[in-house]
Amino acid sequence: MNVKITTIPGDGIGPEIVREAVKVLNKVGEVFGHEFTFEEVLMGGCSIDAYGVPLTDETIEKCKAAQAVLMGSIGGKVGQSKWYELPPEKRPEAGLLKLRKSLGLFCNLRPAHLYPELKKACPLRESIAEQGFDVMMVRELTGGLYFGARKTEIVDGEEVAIDTLEYHDYEIRRIAKKAFEIAMKRGRKLTSVDKANVLDSSRLWRKIFAEVSADYPEVQLENALVDSTAMQLVRNPGQFDVVATENMFGDILSDEMAEIAGSLGMLPSASLREDSFGLYEPSGGSAPDIAGMNIANPLATILSAAMLLRYSLNLTDEADAIENAVSSALAQGFRTGDIMDEDENGLTRLHTDEMGDKIAELIRK
Ligand code: NAD
């Protein structure tokens, strides 16, 4: 297979971690007989420095022309970087929001997997961490409260702020289909999370999920309320496989899941649209505090590359090969600083590029 990928290294640690993911993809290409072609574009602070704007039309076009986009992260030290003296619409993050919108990326996937070797970093009870968990959050990304009409006005001399939570049938149906398809590729259990005891938008959400489930009889669908799910995620995350929810609930629950999974440096993510195109990036930010030091953990970006293979290219064996290589490296005691145990007993500390080399070395057919 010949695959065209656009890369957005971005700011801070972005270039260091994307470089390692590209290294691993090239090794996958070598082992499995694929050719990956990469084209690098600027977005975020580096684009502001070069072109005066965080995202250019040319970058959007180059992303659209690829089969998938692999991104590092963007932004500088909040409150300190010169980019934050600009008005909000000209700052680095504005580029990412515009890019997601221009590419029509409505489905955000965030897996939270607790690696047995990293269970000490899990803040949950030891017995829960011992059992482990592997949850996939499917979050609707372009509708709901964050995109509805809003206004602040004076009513009877008092300030009133209004946000609108609006969902259309088609928006729920397309995310439901994605969630069922992902559940089919995993444990075939889907928990749809809403607040149907209060919200009309949630009642529509629940109705459409029930309708779509008729096309996926192999998937076990459960409905759950968001408040109870927030509780269950810390009580027993192992009960969940795929969790699908609307934009704001997903924003909150996916951060909760990131926390219980331990380290930010291990968490990949994907943003998809209806066809196979997607943008893949680590869940963490640009970590300006450690940029340029060759100590960032590249594993979240390398695991994002595995998601790219799985969800945009349907290369399941190749995606498994990357995930297995990451598990093997951890099992053999290789760590970057952020996932090191305090006593470092029997572990080997690696730099960013050394971890990339190690994962590439462990790629097997
Ligand atoms: P951050 O995620 O960049 O860093 C938080 C902490 O985690 C830091 O101590 C950092 O060193 C550490 N960390 C993060 N990723 C790591 C990795 N791969 N390896 C080792 N340690 C890692 O969050 P922040 O400091 O709040 O934000 C920094 C910048 O990143 C801001 O400009 C913010 O807006 C931006 N940001 C960008 C994205 C994105 O590009 N999608 C997402 C979140 C934050």
Side-chain angles (χ1 to χ4, degrees):
M1 192 184 241
N2 289 319
V3 184
K4 221 173 129 186
I5 297 173
T6 295
T7 62
I8 304 178
D11 307 313
I13 59 169
E16 297 165 64
I17 53 183
V18 168
R19 194 176 303 133
E20 301 315 310
V22 166
K23 186 188 281 175
V24 171
L25 281 172
N26 279 328
K27 181 65 189 292
V28 168
E30 225 176 85
V31 171
F32 287 84
H34 305 298
E35 194 178 335
F36 296 103
T37 313
F38 300 96
E39 182 167 23
E40 196 174 299
V41 295
L42 297 183
M43 189 181 70
C46 54
S47 174
I48 296 174
D49 290 346
Y51 308 116
V53 287
L55 176 69
T56 62
D57 290 343
E58 196 191 346
T59 289
I60 298 175
E61 287 316 311
K62 286 192 170 159
C63 289
K64 282 184 178 167
Q67 280 158 276
V69 178
L70 179 67
M71 199 180 114
S73 39
I74 51 142
K77 220 170 221 167
V78 179
Q80 290 184 31
S81 151
K82 60 184 187 306
W83 300 321
Y84 295 93
E85 289 161 17
L86 296 166
E89 69 279 8
K90 292 196 171 148
R91 292 181 191 168
E93 292 75 19
L96 181 56
L97 292 180
K98 186 174 168 194
L99 184 68
R100 284 185 183 144
K101 203 162 183 191
S102 309
L103 298 176
L105 303 169
F106 67 89
C107 173
N108 184 233
L109 301 187
R110 279 235 230 156
H113 173 67
L114 183 64
Y115 288 88
E117 296 80 9
L118 302 181
K119 59 183 179 234
K120 276 194 202 156
C122 173
L124 302 182
R125 274 199 314 260
E126 214 179 308
S127 58
I128 301 290
E130 204 56 52
Q131 288 165 24
F133 53 85
D134 185 3
V135 188
M136 175 67 83
M137 169 71 68
V138 180
R139 167 189 170 194
E140 202 289 327
L141 203 57
T142 54
L145 202 56
Y146 295 175
F147 285 85
R150 67 180 54 129
K151 64 178 174 187
T152 303
E153 59 187 356
I154 305 292
V155 178
D156 298 334
E158 217 183 37
E159 207 169 9
V160 178
I162 301 170
D163 295 293
T164 318
L165 203 178
E166 181 175 323
Y167 266 110
H168 292 242
D169 181 319
Y170 80 93
E171 291 176 300
I172 304 173
R173 202 169 292 278
R174 67 184 181 180
I175 191 87
K177 275 190 191 158
K178 281 276 184 205
F180 277 100
E181 275 158 23
I182 287 157
M184 286 292 289
K185 289 186 180 177
R186 293 175 45 104
R188 303 192 170 189
K189 183 175 170 201
L190 172 61
T191 308
S192 168
V193 175
D194 59 38
K195 189 70 183 169
N197 53 345
V198 179
L199 301 174
D200 270 1
S201 57
S202 284
R203 286 190 273 273
L204 181 62
W205 180 278
R206 200 174 269 215
K207 181 177 138 218
I208 291 172
F209 265 71
E211 284 173 18
V212 174
S213 78
D215 295 332
Y216 300 89
E218 303 94 331
V219 177
Q220 180 198 340
L221 172 67
E222 275 175 7
N223 294 297
L225 295 174
V226 63
D227 39 352
S228 137
T229 306
M231 217 166 58
Q232 290 300 330
L233 272 171
V234 289
R235 182 175 282 174
N236 177 18
Q239 70 185 286
F240 296 105
D241 176 19
V242 179
V243 174
T245 191
E246 63 95 50
N247 204 342
M248 183 179 66
F249 298 158
D251 190 10
I252 298 167
L253 292 180
S254 56
D255 270 19
E256 184 187 357
M257 279 178 16
E259 185 57 30
I260 62 174
S263 171
L264 209 49
M266 296 298 300
L267 295 172
S269 84
S271 300
L272 311 174
R273 64 181 190 203
E274 261 153 325
D275 60 9
S276 60
F277 180 86
L279 181 146
Y280 301 83
E281 57 177 321
S283 293
S286 61
D289 51 331
I290 56 167
M293 294 164 75
N294 196 22
I295 57 170
N297 185 346
L299 293 178
T301 318
I302 290 171
L303 290 165
S304 300
M307 291 185 84
L308 184 157
L309 296 174
R310 191 179 302 283
Y311 294 107
S312 279
L313 306 174
N314 211 17
L315 295 175
T316 310
D317 291 346
E318 291 81 342
D320 287 345
I322 295 185
E323 287 164 2
N324 292 338
V326 169
S327 295
S328 302
L330 294 175
Q332 291 171 31
F334 296 105
R335 304 279 191 276
T336 43
D338 60 312
I339 51 172
M340 201 64 171
D341 284 354
E342 269 162 26
D343 55 14
E344 301 199 10
N345 226 341
L347 301 177
T348 310
R349 185 186 286 257
L350 297 183
H351 283 104
T352 310
D353 57 347
E354 293 168 329
M355 184 58 98
D357 290 343
K358 181 54 66 186
I359 303 302
E361 181 195 312
L362 291 168
I363 295 292
R364 308 254 186 286
K365 213 168 189 168

